[in-house]
Amino acid sequence: MPVVTFRAKTGKKGDQTVTYAVAGSHTETVLKLAQQHDVPIAFDCEDGNCGTCCVDVSVQGDKAPMGGHLTDKERQTLVEIGKLKRAEIEKTYTDDFPPPHRLACQLILRDEDVLVEY
């Protein structure tokens, strides 16, 4: 089963590791997973408009990143809050590689181990 490790950037709380089921959870976002395990990722709208839930995501282990592609809304919000430049957007298209900054309310994980820094 895939493993998600949540790490606070501010060092307020130690790492929290969560094993999650892939089957049937392909619509569960990182934010929902965090809420289920009392991980305090900040959020406001839960719809990808505000950028409050921006997190840094890195794949752990030797698997290639599988995280879903950016939605148009997520892409626009990440640009507006300064986490993603237009050149980086093009790179995500050409390299088929998700960027490190994502919105927790939009990101749906696949079968991969990841570190989520909030």
Side-chain angles (χ1 to χ4, degrees):
M1 290 186 131
V3 174
V4 178
T5 301
F6 292 99
R7 177 178 293 159
K9 291 180 186 177
T10 59
K12 289 181 183 176
K13 193 175 180 182
D15 291 356
Q16 184 170 349
T17 301
V18 175
T19 302
Y20 67 101
V22 175
S25 68
H26 289 296
T27 59
E28 190 170 286
T29 64
V30 167
L31 182 59
K32 293 291 183 200
L33 184 65
Q35 290 171 333
Q36 290 170 2
H37 295 280
D38 298 320
V39 176
I41 293 178
F43 67 93
D44 283 332
C45 73
E46 290 187 79
D47 194 37
N49 292 318
C50 70
T52 305
C53 66
C54 185
V55 295
D56 294 338
V57 180
S58 58
V59 175
Q60 305 296 290
D62 56 3
K63 277 189 175 182
M66 299 171 65
H69 294 286
L70 295 170
T71 63
D72 290 337
K73 185 186 299 187
E74 184 178 16
R75 190 176 300 108
Q76 179 181 346
T77 300
L78 288 171
V79 168
E80 287 174 3
I81 65 172
K83 292 292 186 178
L84 191 60
K85 296 182 179 11
R86 299 231 179 252
E88 293 170 315
I89 292 172
E90 292 305 316
K91 188 172 175 68
T92 65
Y93 287 128
T94 58
D95 295 352
D96 195 27
F97 199 79
H101 305 293
R102 300 296 303 263
L103 299 181
C105 72
Q106 300 295 299
L107 177 59
I108 297 172
L109 297 173
R110 303 296 182 227
D111 186 14
E112 58 193 335
D113 297 344
V114 297
L115 171 64
V116 175
E117 293 181 287
Y118 60 96

